[in-house]
Amino acid sequence: EAAVTQSPRNKVTVTGGNVTLSCRQTNSHNYMYWYRQDTGHGLRLIHYSYGAGNLQIGDVPDGYKATRTTQEDFFLLLELASPSQTSLYFCASSRDWGDYAEQFFGPGTRLTVL
Amino acid sequence: AQSVTQPDARVTVSEGASLQLRCKYSYSGTPYLFWYVQYPRQGLQLLLKYYSGDPVVQGVNGFEAEFIKSNSSFHLRKASVHWSDSAVYFCAVSAGVVGQLTFGRGTRLQVYA
């Protein structure tokens, strides 16, 4: 069973604040993803990575940076948080990039920007 | 670009009733199709997936889905729902490019006793 953990589970910050969301997977998966989930929009891909040091841009990357420091760890950075970034953030991982590859999701981080 | 439409934001059914959650996709090629479920305060979990072969695919917990190419649909079904099936269900499509898993907006299922 793939294990993806996220921290913190909840975070409140103010406009202009600096936030880092952490994700770790312990199943030696090559691919990791950051999504945001908003009511009425489903999940939207922010950034993804296929290995340490690699970063790819997703569909909604504006205002976000990401860094993959190791195969296990993928971070999402909001350097000047805005209220529009209030959302539920999910990290996911997959073994490979094949279209049939199942993505395993973490429990999510709820971020509120005041 | 691909897209997914789940026309029903909420579905309410009684326990023991049958269920169909609708999903329509838009993609010009052969899609990879998925159904995920999200239980309260949890991440998404894969229910089933389809690419080729028998258009009716079986998933976990008695769920199945049928791929109908002529209708661009991939509806999720269950013969008899249980209260524990209450969750949000997402249909998703992959178009063959890494990272491009496109989700629908989700359908919230409420099962009442």
Side-chain angles (χ1 to χ4, degrees):
Chain A
E1 181 72 23
V4 181
T5 57
Q6 295 182 235
S7 63
R9 294 294 309 275
N10 291 281
K11 176 73 176 178
V12 179
T13 190
V14 296
T15 299
N18 194 324
V19 176
T20 298
L21 307 184
S22 302
C23 176
R24 166 165 284 201
Q25 53 92 9
T26 57
N27 288 276
S28 303
H29 285 174
N30 293 319
Y31 286 82
M32 297 186 73
Y33 312 81
W34 276 108
Y35 293 91
R36 61 178 290 173
Q37 183 184 22
D38 305 290
T39 302
H41 286 279
L43 277 75
R44 292 180 290 175
L45 182 65
I46 304 170
H47 290 297
Y48 63 100
S49 165
Y50 54 76
N54 175 264
L55 181 65
Q56 304 294 320
I57 293 173
D59 299 324
V60 290
D62 292 346
Y64 301 96
K65 293 184 179 179
T67 181
R68 180 91 176 268
T69 55
T70 65
Q71 185 181 38
E72 295 79 18
D73 298 303
F74 195 28
F75 300 93
L76 186 68
L77 296 79
L78 292 73
E79 294 183 333
L80 288 172
S82 71
S84 65
Q85 294 175 307
T86 293
S87 187
L88 181 58
Y89 291 87
F90 285 102
C91 176
S93 71
S94 64
R95 184 181 62 193
D96 54 45
W97 68 269
D99 302 303
Y100 217 49
E102 177 182 353
Q103 293 190 19
F104 293 86
F105 285 80
T109 294
R110 184 166 295 281
L111 174 67
T112 302
V113 183
L114 302 175
Chain B
Q2 68 270 26
S3 65
V4 177
T5 300
Q6 294 181 250
D8 304 308
R10 291 178 179 268
V11 171
T12 302
V13 297
S14 60
E15 195 169 29
S18 63
L19 171 71
Q20 177 172 279
L21 301 182
R22 296 184 291 167
C23 171
K24 297 200 73 171
Y25 67 91
S26 174
Y27 177 60
S28 57
T30 301
Y32 296 78
L33 295 161
F34 306 80
W35 274 99
Y36 281 85
V37 60
Q38 183 181 25
Y39 297 105
R41 295 173 297 282
Q42 296 185 28
L44 280 71
Q45 302 169 33
L46 183 68
L47 274 178
L48 48 81
K49 58 185 179 182
Y50 173 81
Y51 174 61
S52 64
D54 188 337
V56 179
V57 59
Q58 303 297 319
V60 300
N61 296 332
F63 285 95
E64 67 175 29
E66 183 174 8
F67 170 61
I68 302 179
K69 186 174 182 179
S70 61
N71 198 34
S72 298
S73 67
F74 190 57
H75 301 332
L76 182 70
R77 303 190 297 235
K78 187 171 184 179
S80 177
V81 297
H82 187 264
W83 64 267
S84 61
D85 293 325
S86 297
V88 181
Y89 292 79
F90 291 94
C91 181
V93 61
S94 175
V97 178
V98 60
Q100 288 193 0
L101 184 62
T102 300
F103 288 85
R105 297 182 177 185
T107 297
R108 182 175 297 277
L109 173 66
Q110 180 66 50
V111 180
Y112 63 92

